[in-house]
């Protein structure tokens, strides 16, 4: 619950289910909260929702947020594409090079990809410890690789996506 809504009509959010589109955000009073609102929110009934809201220590009013599934996360489609041209592979290598060049620490992209490849499904904390890093900055780095379609999140840990596997094979071929 927020004092002010953190979303607005027309905005989108990436979730495990796909892209969620926010259709509307409307301030409501407790009296305006309906039985249908409660059921749509996953509560047994209106009374259960109002009880949960009454236990909130947050300040501010209530908001009804209407949303719909806008489609799959485009990163999923990107990650699944392993049929890459030589130019696409070279472009991905250049993207990793650019990330490493801008990094305040030593280059890290290939090391993180290698670690994920060698330990699919290993918890982020354990992967970070392999590198002597803190978990949250490590996870931020993995998200950067995910944005390129190179990794996929699992229930626990990560794995290389088909695109990530194609890139790592290409990178290995350059050093052989």
């Amino acid at each position: 619950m927020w004092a002010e809504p953190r979303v607005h009509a027309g905005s989108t959010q990436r979730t495990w289910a796909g892209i969620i589109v926010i259709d509307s955000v409307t301030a409501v009073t407790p009296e305006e909260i309906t039985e249908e609102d409660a059921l749509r929110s996953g509560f047994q009934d209106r009374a259960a929702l109002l009880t949960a809201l009454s236990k909130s220590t947050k300040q501010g009013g209530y908001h009804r947020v209407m949303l719909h599934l806008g489609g799959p996360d485009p990163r999923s489609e990107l990650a699944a594409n392993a049929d890459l041209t030589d130019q696409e592979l070279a472009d991905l290598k250049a993207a990793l090079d650019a990330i490493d060049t801008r990094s305040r620490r030593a280059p890290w992209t290939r090391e993180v990809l290698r670690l994920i490849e060698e330990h699919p499904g290993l918890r982020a904390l354990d992967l970070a410890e392999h590198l002597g890093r803190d978990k949250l900055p490590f996870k931020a780095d993995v998200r950067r690789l995910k944005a390129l379609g190179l990794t996929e999140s699992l229930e626990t840990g990560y794995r290389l996506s088909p695109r990530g596997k194609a890139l790592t094979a290409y990178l290995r071929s350059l050093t052989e």
Side-chain angles (χ1 to χ4, degrees):
M1 181 139 7
W2 311 305
E4 292 294 322
R6 295 184 182 168
V7 297
H8 61 276
S11 65
T12 60
Q13 297 284 318
R14 281 192 301 234
T15 72
W16 63 269
I19 301 297
I20 301 296
V21 179
I22 309 302
D23 297 318
S24 64
V25 180
T26 310
V28 294
T29 64
E31 296 74 34
E32 294 173 299
I33 295 173
T34 67
E35 190 73 23
E36 184 179 356
D37 291 333
L39 296 175
R40 284 184 171 181
S41 300
F43 287 88
Q44 181 178 347
D45 55 29
R46 182 176 179 274
L49 172 56
L50 291 174
T51 298
L53 292 174
S54 72
K55 293 178 181 177
S56 171
T57 59
K58 302 280 183 184
Q59 297 297 311
Y62 304 115
H63 295 84
R64 180 183 294 121
V65 178
M66 301 302 290
L67 49 87
H68 72 274
L69 182 62
D73 183 340
R75 296 176 303 179
S76 299
E77 192 173 313
L78 184 66
N81 180 15
D83 187 23
L84 303 172
T85 66
D86 288 342
Q87 185 60 55
E88 289 170 319
L89 289 165
D91 290 347
L92 280 171
K93 178 187 176 300
L96 295 183
D97 291 342
I99 290 168
D100 284 339
T101 298
R102 289 189 306 269
S103 177
R104 293 184 181 146
R105 59 183 187 283
W108 59 268
T109 59
R110 287 154 181 83
E111 186 175 29
V112 170
L113 288 170
R114 178 193 54 77
L115 192 62
I116 291 171
E117 181 178 38
E118 291 174 359
H119 304 282
L122 191 62
R123 294 181 322 152
L125 176 62
D126 296 327
L127 290 169
E129 286 176 353
H130 272 282
L131 300 175
R133 300 201 43 217
D134 291 331
K135 181 177 92 169
L136 293 180
F138 174 82
K139 288 179 79 165
D141 286 347
V142 174
R143 281 193 298 276
R144 292 184 76 185
L145 298 173
K146 187 176 184 176
L148 294 172
L150 302 178
T151 64
E152 297 174 318
S153 297
L154 303 173
E155 188 171 320
T156 300
Y158 311 98
R159 69 177 170 213
L160 291 186
S161 67
R163 181 182 181 92
K165 290 176 184 177
L167 177 63
T168 56
Y170 169 77
L171 294 172
R172 274 194 293 277
S173 76
L174 296 177
T175 60
E176 296 173 349

